[in-house]
């Protein structure tokens, strides 16, 4: 576990006091790792999440801790997201990462079958008493009073169940709640903004909206529709890591920032390449994408970028 020194001078909750919608990078398996968090922070992202980490594996194995959680002094504010199925394991994991992060988040939203069958993710929205207990354990066992305990959920078809879950979490001391505005069965259906608004109106803690945030204008429209305190983006940031800074299209300097950051941090080629595939998808032709996707080394990628996108105009920006 490669980590930075503790920072206990203030609370991440201060970001909600600035009167602006908080802009957050979502937890994304394989993608929201240190290098990508470093990139989006350069382009007006306020808070970043780690990818989801299975708390039991994290506590069981030093190798898992070293591979799953890497950070540095610039990587703040940082929320570590865990998948857990019991309160003590979550609290134990939170105590391990607390000196090196600003909060932990309990994943109650992953809809994948393997996660739900193992007792993780979206199945937890049907276990409000367990979620309440998990939040309380983190709050009681992490010594830093500024350390946050949040949850990320999906909604029920019967929204009363979701409101009950959120109110129980609030009573246990949850710091904020992120709401992905779809049920566990929905994938590409429209986000239920009315449901997010109902949840926001039912609790007094900050609420974050998640789902279909592809441009900066989506941040404002979601805020207007729901009244939320923050907005979390996933795929929109993969396609355009500069989105939160107001760029409609990904700027060429963002490509070179990614090359520099990932090289500096020793990002494995597969991850380095895959991020660029996402970043170039909107701005390159099909033949260009086919050629780029076939590249198999960092040097080949850099040569291709230099030869293909010499100027900002080449990217159409």
């Amino acid at each position: 576990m490669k980590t930075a020194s503790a920072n206990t001078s203030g609370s991440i909750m201060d970001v909600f006091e600035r009167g602006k919608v908080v802009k957050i990078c979502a937890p994304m398996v394989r993608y929201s790792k240190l290098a990508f968090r470093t990139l989006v922070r350069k382009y007006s992202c306020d808070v970043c999440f780690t990818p989801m980490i299975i708390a039991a594996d994290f506590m069981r194995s030093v190798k898992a801790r070293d591979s799953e959680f890497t950070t540095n002094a610039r990587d703040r504010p940082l929320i570590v997201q865990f998948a857990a199925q019991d309160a003590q394991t979550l609290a134990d994991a939170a105590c391990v990462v607390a000196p090196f992060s600003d909060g932990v988040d309990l994943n109650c939203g992953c809809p994948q079958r393997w996660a739900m069958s193992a007792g993780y993710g979206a199945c937890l929205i049907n276990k409000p008493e367990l979620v309440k207990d998990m939040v309380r354990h983190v709050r009681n066992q992490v010594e830093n009073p500024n350390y946050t305990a949040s949850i990320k959920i999906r909604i029920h078809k019967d929204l009363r169940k979701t409101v009950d879950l959120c109110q129980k979490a609030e009573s246990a001391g949850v710091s904020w709640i992120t709401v992905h505005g779809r049920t566990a069965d929905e994938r590409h259906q429209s986000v239920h903004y009315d449901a997010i608004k109902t949840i926001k109106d039912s609790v007094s803690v900050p609420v974050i909206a998640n789902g279909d945030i592809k441009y900066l204008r989506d941040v404002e429209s979601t805020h207007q529709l729901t009244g939320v305190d923050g907005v979390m983006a996933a795929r929109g940031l993969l396609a355009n890591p500069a989105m939160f800074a107001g760029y409609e299209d990904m700027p060429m300097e963002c490509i070179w920032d990614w090359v520099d950051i990932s090289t500096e941090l020793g990002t494995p080629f597969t991850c380095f390449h895959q991020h660029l595939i996402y970043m170039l998808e909107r701005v390159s032709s099909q033949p260009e994408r086919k050629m780029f996707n076939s590249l198999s080394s960092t040097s080949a990628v850099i040569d291709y970028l230099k030869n293909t996108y010499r100027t900002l105009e080449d990217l159409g920006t």
Side-chain angles (χ1 to χ4, degrees), residues 54-82:
I54 297 176
D57 294 346
F58 186 78
M59 293 306 298
R60 191 180 301 122
S61 162
V62 173
K63 183 177 181 181
R65 291 196 286 279
D66 286 343
S67 117
E68 296 291 336
F69 182 58
T70 303
T71 186
N72 62 27
R74 297 172 292 169
D75 189 29
R76 307 297 283 270
L78 178 65
I79 303 299
V80 182
Q81 191 188 67
F82 285 112

Side-chain angles (χ1 to χ4, degrees), residues 138-297:
V138 173
R139 292 302 242 166
N140 289 342
Q141 294 183 35
V142 175
E143 292 183 1
N144 178 3
N146 290 325
Y147 200 71
T148 61
S150 56
I151 61 175
K152 185 174 186 291
I153 67 170
R154 283 188 174 235
I155 60 173
H156 298 83
K157 289 181 180 178
D158 181 354
L159 198 59
R160 292 172 296 183
K161 293 182 179 179
T162 318
V163 169
D164 176 66
L165 168 69
C166 293
Q167 291 177 341
K168 281 185 165 67
E170 182 177 20
S171 73
V174 79
S175 303
W176 74 78
I177 299 167
T178 301
V179 182
H180 184 109
R182 296 183 176 96
T183 69
D185 296 326
E186 293 176 330
R187 295 295 182 272
H188 304 293
Q189 291 89 335
S190 298
V191 172
H192 300 283
Y193 295 105
D194 54 339
I196 298 175
K197 184 179 190 306
T198 297
I199 293 164
K200 169 60 185 170
D201 292 342
S202 71
V203 295
S204 58
V205 296
V207 172
I208 310 300
N210 176 223
D212 285 359
I213 305 298
K214 297 176 181 176
Y215 298 94
L216 185 62
R217 60 179 179 268
D218 298 330
V219 174
E220 184 55 35
S221 62
T222 300
H223 174 63
Q224 292 293 331
L225 286 168
T226 63
V228 291
D229 305 274
V231 167
M232 176 183 285
R235 292 178 183 175
L237 280 177
L238 289 179
N240 180 8
M243 175 184 71
F244 282 149
Y247 290 92
E248 284 284 308
D249 299 300
M250 186 205 53
M252 190 61 193
E253 57 262 33
C254 189
I255 290 278
W256 296 115
D257 285 337
W258 172 244
V259 171
D260 292 343
I261 290 166
S262 55
T263 301
E264 176 192 346
L265 294 175
T267 302
F269 173 75
T270 301
C271 180
F272 166 72
H273 189 214
Q274 186 60 54
H275 273 290
L276 288 169
I277 289 172
Y278 279 117
M279 292 163 71
L280 292 170
E281 188 172 9
R282 290 183 189 169
V283 294
S284 57
S285 66
Q286 188 172 358
E288 286 173 339
R289 288 196 296 273
K290 188 174 181 180
M291 170 64 73
F292 185 80
N293 294 357
S294 70
L295 301 176
S296 58
S297 72

